[in-house]
Amino acid sequence: MKTERITAGLSIKRSVDAGTEDQQQIVRAIISEVKEKGDYALFAYTEKFDGAKLSSLKVTREEINEAYETLDDEMISIIREAAENIASFHAKQKRETWLYTNADGSILGQKMTPLDSAGVYVPGGTAAYPSSVLMNVMPAKTAGVERIVMVSPPGSNGKLPAGVLVAADIAGVKDIYKVGGAQAVAALAYGTESIKAVDKITGPGNIFVALAKREVFGDVDIDMIAGPSEIAVLADESASAKEVAADMLSQAEHDKRASAVLVTTSQDLAQAVAREIEKQLKSLPRSEIARASIDDYGAIYVAETMEEAVQTINELAPEHLEIMTEGALELVKDIKHAGAIFVGRYSSEPVGDYFAGPNHVLPTNGTARFSSPLSVDDFMKKSSIIMYSKQAFDQHGAKIAAFARLEGLEAHARAIEARND
Amino acid sequence: MKTERITAGLSIKRSVDAGTEDQQQIVRAIISEVKEKGDYALFAYTEKFDGAKLSSLKVTREEINEAYETLDDEMISIIREAAENIASFHAKQKRETWLYTNADGSILGQKMTPLDSAGVYVPGGTAAYPSSVLMNVMPAKTAGVERIVMVSPPGSNGKLPAGVLVAADIAGVKDIYKVGGAQAVAALAYGTESIKAVDKITGPGNIFVALAKREVFGDVDIDMIAGPSEIAVLADESASAKEVAADMLSQAEHDKRASAVLVTTSQDLAQAVAREIEKQLKSLPRSEIARASIDDYGAIYVAETMEEAVQTINELAPEHLEIMTEGALELVKDIKHAGAIFVGRYSSEPVGDYFAGPNHVLPTNGTARFSSPLSVDDFMKKSSIIMYSKQAFDQHGAKIAAFARLEGLEAHARAIEARND
């Protein structure tokens, strides 16, 4: 891995799959088929794409019990503890309704209401992550969403992975359906005989899932469309090359298009991390993926000063940022754009991926400039409350009518004046 | 206007313009032209679509001073007072960064950061509303966004309306450009020589603006794509038919596709409102628009009980809801889905459109089920903070590694274990 000095206008090399016209056509066809034929289409697509001939889409209590028997007790208790940590962090995000009264007696406020329902998409195969189930479901649960529906494509044996089922059960999901792909998104958006439509769909998926979410957006809400995962490490000479390299590789093993970047003020660290990455790569089970990611999307940049390094991080707006420097916490105030900030050497990224409590669904591809981690806010909505008093109305009515007339909206002015007689 | 009894599965008749293939093609062509040719394309499109041959896009201080001279002083002071009310309400929405320390010494938190920049689109012609300038700019200002850029198509005389310029100046906008349509959205998203790109674009516009926003979404953030405006009035026999009718018409005059619905427990009120609408319609300057809206998208429903009426409102999920009943404030707790709730007879909708303080940019077309009024939240983003202590790491590290291995992510486990040696 080469180390380079920072040059102006730096940005991570990023790869976002926007899908082809063909893929969009396929997705639109699937959605209209599901709209038209409901469950029948879901069974047919599940047989076609997942190789599973199902008699029922809904996961039964027996299947969940079986999943619990498959996992060892220690693992179950780890998932449970992670769920509690996530619930506890997200509870702090929850906002309550507020109202206040002005001197003129009018009342203004903001009512917070959970969404009625949410659908969580969980990918199948090797990307079936119990942690992702927790991270998507717990914020909805904490928000107070009453009906949470989970969908996930079954294996060809017609089953979902034990870890996924146990995590869903621990998170409190009652309705789990064995269906994936664009057809699952369509079912969540428009409903079928088995699956009642939801108000919002979250969760990662392949390009067909992403395109389907984009397609149904507006009829229902969706979360962001995630790109490949990214990490940036901001480090000085106090950091351990071994730890920095290990953290960069933990990101690189996700995906050949994942990105791992080090920005450091230390030329020595830069070189040592480059060597460590080579060394550690060799013994990784997913070394082929990690190798491709490091070669194509990995980078090490050396900055003259910490100020320059921080500015570079803000330009990158990474999904994950680790700060491994002296006085790391002090630097947090200078970070403007990052999905999650991991501070100090004991905050290796997997701490946040699985366990600490903050959400691991984070803005990728530079969207940390304007987007946020998945949170309780995403499962609640606000309604404004306006209760004008007679006093306020008498005081301000004529001004409001004048403003309406400035905009040429006479009926607005008359609505105010209708109260005067 | 007919009155009908409520029947199951009621929904407002709504019309959303999704744009044609042709319009999408045009918008894509405009965007790529602006990307390629920058200001040159903006000048050319402004001449072509707005009939204005400009020498400079940016509004000068002289133009703003001239605008102040055009408006009378009383109107200027009304706009100023409205801006203060909006600022004061939105200040209550602003959230601060929080951190907390667990018993094991680890620190978790959420950092709140304003977006660096925001672009506000203001429509031209008869839809150029100073109130819309205030409602889009003030939340961004309150959030702390440093660079707020406004764009609006000029008239064929090369000018923007005085009210719009004064409102922008009062709201504190420094950069105003005379450009509209898809070309303005493209400039905000990708930048030109004159206009630096922004992180988020908000504000209403015609179908070309809406399609352009949808097209650039992902590269920058956008607000919701608004549909035609809607009001639902929930009233009992205590309401004044004259006031209810006037409020419904104030919505209907916006747009032929606007919707005004009354849900009442009183057959007498229903009939009286129908008569009042006919009577008031006659003398409205925009009666042709209001008439079309009432005929095509207006409705009066009579419910057996208030409970049934409230349930109907929740099914409608209206943009604006007025409650004109005995004990109106008590009913607010039962309303689950509405953009803004106007309580009692003195809270005629224009009170909120112009003056009270809450935002008038609201979710339309039933999206109040999952969307919220424009707010300070829309101009800030969150970053999670995780600072694990050594104690927390020692206590939980092995569990985190085990969770990673359950998901087959060995490099994640090794990143944790790299800290053990």
Side-chain angles (χ1 to χ4, degrees):
Chain A
M1 212 172 168
K2 281 190 307 185
T3 70
E4 289 177 37
R5 293 213 77 84
I6 283 176
T7 49
L10 179 69
S11 72
I12 302 188
K13 187 180 164 204
R14 284 167 158 132
S15 155
V16 177
D17 188 354
T20 62
E21 277 290 337
D22 276 2
Q23 288 170 327
Q24 285 177 17
Q25 295 290 347
I26 292 168
V27 163
R28 284 191 200 120
I30 291 174
I31 292 173
S32 72
E33 189 80 359
V34 172
K35 270 184 173 176
E36 200 184 313
K37 299 191 183 150
D39 279 355
Y40 176 84
L42 300 185
F43 283 117
Y45 285 123
T46 304
E47 186 168 356
K48 181 173 174 192
F49 295 134
D50 306 304
K53 208 176 159 102
L54 303 177
S55 56
S56 160
L57 294 167
K58 190 162 181 177
V59 169
T60 61
R61 189 68 234 175
E62 288 66 43
E63 287 176 277
I64 293 167
N65 292 343
E66 198 183 302
Y68 273 100
E69 280 158 30
T70 309
L71 290 195
D72 68 46
D73 287 351
E74 181 144 348
M75 199 59 237
I76 294 168
S77 99
I78 294 172
I79 296 175
R80 213 165 257 144
E81 194 174 346
E84 281 160 19
N85 290 345
I86 297 166
S88 147
F89 179 84
H90 286 77
K92 298 209 160 49
Q93 293 178 327
K94 191 167 179 182
R95 290 183 289 170
E96 302 299 326
T97 296
W98 47 262
L99 287 173
Y100 64 95
T101 306
N102 283 326
D104 60 20
S106 56
I107 296 171
L108 301 177
Q110 182 170 285
K111 183 180 202 286
M112 300 299 301
T113 314
L115 305 194
D116 283 350
S117 56
V120 174
Y121 188 92
V122 177
T126 53
Y129 296 142
S131 61
S132 172
V133 174
L134 299 182
M135 293 293 183
N136 277 278
V137 174
M138 299 307 296
K141 203 82 193 164
T142 306
V145 175
E146 272 188 28
R147 190 165 62 87
I148 299 174
V149 179
M150 199 176 102
V151 293
S152 190
S156 56
N157 63 354
K159 291 187 177 183
L160 295 184
V164 164
L165 289 182
V166 167
D169 190 62
I170 287 173
V173 183
K174 300 272 176 280
D175 298 323
I176 309 173
Y177 296 95
K178 294 184 276 193
V179 59
Q183 60 274 23
V185 174
L188 289 174
Y190 304 110
T192 68
E193 298 87 335
S194 297
I195 303 178
K196 215 175 134 195
V198 298
D199 292 318
K200 179 162 189 165
I201 303 172
T202 72
N206 63 18
I207 185 66
F208 293 100
V209 172
L211 289 174
K213 280 167 69 180
R214 207 177 262 279
E215 201 68 30
V216 302
F217 176 51
D219 291 329
V220 298
D221 198 13
I222 60 168
D223 63 349
M224 55 197 130
I225 308 278
S229 200
E230 310 156 359
I231 191 171
V233 180
L234 173 65
D236 63 13
E237 66 290 346
S238 72
S240 147
K242 181 182 163 192
E243 295 169 13
V244 172
D247 290 1
M248 289 173 75
L249 287 170
S250 80
Q251 202 56 227
E253 78 170 335
H254 269 300
D255 187 336
K256 289 184 177 180
R257 298 178 306 139
S259 159
V261 173
L262 168 63
V263 181
T264 178
T265 49
S266 163
Q267 184 70 54
D268 288 352
L269 183 77
Q271 284 164 0
V273 167
R275 284 191 302 270
E276 269 291 335
I277 285 177
E278 286 307 316
K279 188 176 142 198
Q280 293 181 26
L281 248 178
K282 293 201 177 78
S283 68
L284 278 183
R286 294 162 71 98
S287 67
E288 195 195 320
I289 293 171
R291 160 68 68 197
S293 154
I294 290 289
D295 285 352
D296 292 343
Y297 300 100
I300 295 178
Y301 297 110
V302 181
E304 289 287 345
T305 62
M306 190 49 75
E307 201 185 332
E308 188 189 56
V310 166
Q311 195 191 320
T312 302
I313 294 293
N314 282 329
E315 281 167 25
L316 298 176
E319 181 192 13
H320 304 92
L321 169 66
E322 289 186 357
I323 309 181
M324 290 200 263
T325 64
E326 299 282 350
L329 192 56
E330 266 305 288
L331 283 177
V332 171
K333 68 172 192 319
D334 300 325
I335 302 300
K336 289 165 72 178
H337 308 303
I341 308 170
F342 296 77
V343 188
R345 73 175 279 223
Y346 294 108
S347 310
S348 175
E349 195 209 292
V351 164
D353 288 344
Y354 293 112
F355 199 79
N359 212 287
H360 80 193
V361 180
L362 298 167
T364 55
N365 193 33
T367 58
R369 291 186 64 81
F370 50 75
S371 294
S372 301
L374 191 69
S375 78
V376 169
D377 294 339
D378 293 302
F379 296 98
M380 303 192 79
K381 50 25 186 306
K382 293 162 272 198
S383 304
S384 305
I385 298 172
I386 297 175
M387 184 169 182
Y388 243 37
S389 63
K390 179 165 194 319
Q391 187 192 336
F393 188 86
D394 290 344
Q395 212 169 320
H396 307 301
K399 297 181 235 173
I400 296 167
F403 206 148
R405 289 198 170 102
L406 174 71
E407 297 191 346
L409 294 174
E410 177 65 21
H412 283 61
R414 293 193 192 172
I416 296 295
E417 289 161 0
R419 268 84 175 165
N420 291 340
D421 319 331
Chain B
M1 212 173 172
K2 278 191 309 186
T3 70
E4 288 176 38
R5 292 210 81 82
I6 283 175
T7 47
L10 182 68
S11 72
I12 301 189
K13 186 179 165 204
R14 282 164 159 136
S15 155
V16 178
D17 188 354
T20 62
E21 277 291 335
D22 274 2
Q23 289 170 326
Q24 286 177 16
Q25 296 289 347
I26 292 167
V27 163
R28 283 190 202 121
I30 292 173
I31 291 173
S32 73
E33 187 82 359
V34 172
K35 270 183 170 173
E36 201 183 312
K37 301 192 181 150
D39 279 357
Y40 176 85
L42 300 185
F43 283 117
Y45 285 123
T46 304
E47 188 169 354
K48 180 174 173 190
F49 295 133
D50 306 304
K53 208 175 160 104
L54 303 177
S55 56
S56 161
L57 294 167
K58 190 163 180 175
V59 169
T60 62
R61 189 68 235 175
E62 288 66 44
E63 288 175 276
I64 292 166
N65 292 343
E66 199 184 301
Y68 274 101
E69 280 158 31
T70 310
L71 289 196
D72 68 47
D73 287 351
E74 180 147 348
M75 199 61 238
I76 294 169
S77 100
I78 293 171
I79 296 175
R80 213 166 257 141
E81 193 175 348
E84 282 161 18
N85 290 346
I86 297 166
S88 149
F89 180 84
H90 286 76
K92 298 211 159 49
Q93 292 177 328
K94 191 167 178 182
R95 289 184 289 171
E96 302 299 327
T97 295
W98 47 262
L99 287 172
Y100 63 95
T101 306
N102 283 326
D104 59 19
S106 56
I107 295 171
L108 301 176
Q110 182 171 283
K111 184 180 201 287
M112 298 299 301
T113 313
L115 305 194
D116 284 351
S117 56
V120 174
Y121 188 93
V122 177
T126 54
Y129 296 142
S131 61
S132 172
V133 174
L134 299 181
M135 292 294 182
N136 279 277
V137 173
M138 298 308 295
K141 202 82 193 166
T142 306
V145 175
E146 272 187 27
R147 192 164 62 85
I148 300 174
V149 179
M150 198 175 103
V151 293
S152 190
S156 56
N157 62 355
K159 292 186 177 182
L160 295 184
V164 164
L165 289 181
V166 167
D169 191 62
I170 287 173
V173 183
K174 300 271 176 281
D175 299 322
I176 309 173
Y177 297 95
K178 293 183 278 193
V179 59
Q183 59 274 21
V185 174
L188 290 173
Y190 304 111
T192 68
E193 299 88 336
S194 298
I195 304 178
K196 217 177 132 196
V198 299
D199 292 317
K200 179 161 189 166
I201 304 171
T202 70
N206 64 19
I207 185 66
F208 294 99
V209 172
L211 288 173
K213 281 167 69 181
R214 206 177 262 280
E215 201 68 30
V216 302
F217 176 50
D219 291 329
V220 297
D221 198 13
I222 60 167
D223 63 350
M224 55 197 132
I225 310 277
S229 200
E230 309 156 0
I231 192 172
V233 180
L234 174 64
D236 62 14
E237 67 290 344
S238 72
S240 146
K242 181 181 164 193
E243 295 169 12
V244 171
D247 291 2
M248 290 172 75
L249 286 171
S250 80
Q251 203 54 227
E253 78 169 335
H254 269 298
D255 188 337
K256 287 184 179 181
R257 297 177 307 140
S259 159
V261 172
L262 167 64
V263 180
T264 178
T265 48
S266 163
Q267 184 69 55
D268 288 351
L269 183 76
Q271 284 164 359
V273 167
R275 284 191 303 269
E276 268 292 333
I277 286 178
E278 287 306 317
K279 187 175 144 196
Q280 295 182 23
L281 249 178
K282 293 201 178 79
S283 67
L284 278 183
R286 294 163 70 98
S287 67
E288 194 195 319
I289 294 172
R291 159 69 67 199
S293 154
I294 291 289
D295 284 352
D296 292 343
Y297 299 99
I300 296 177
Y301 296 109
V302 181
E304 288 287 345
T305 61
M306 189 49 75
E307 201 186 333
E308 188 188 57
V310 166
Q311 195 191 322
T312 302
I313 294 294
N314 283 328
E315 281 168 25
L316 298 176
E319 181 191 13
H320 303 91
L321 169 66
E322 289 186 356
I323 309 181
M324 291 201 261
T325 62
E326 297 283 349
L329 192 56
E330 268 304 290
L331 282 177
V332 170
K333 69 171 193 320
D334 300 326
I335 302 300
K336 290 165 72 177
H337 309 303
I341 308 171
F342 296 78
V343 186
R345 72 175 278 222
Y346 294 109
S347 309
S348 175
E349 196 209 293
V351 164
D353 287 344
Y354 294 111
F355 199 78
N359 212 288
H360 81 194
V361 180
L362 298 167
T364 54
N365 194 32
T367 59
R369 293 186 63 82
F370 50 75
S371 294
S372 300
L374 190 69
S375 78
V376 169
D377 294 340
D378 293 303
F379 296 98
M380 303 193 80
K381 49 29 186 303
K382 293 162 271 199
S383 303
S384 306
I385 299 172
I386 297 174
M387 183 169 183
Y388 242 38
S389 64
K390 180 166 194 318
Q391 186 192 333
F393 186 85
D394 290 344
Q395 211 169 319
H396 307 301
K399 295 180 236 174
I400 297 167
F403 205 149
R405 290 199 169 100
L406 173 71
E407 297 192 346
L409 294 173
E410 178 65 20
H412 282 62
R414 291 193 193 173
I416 296 295
E417 288 161 1
R419 269 85 176 165
N420 290 341
D421 317 332

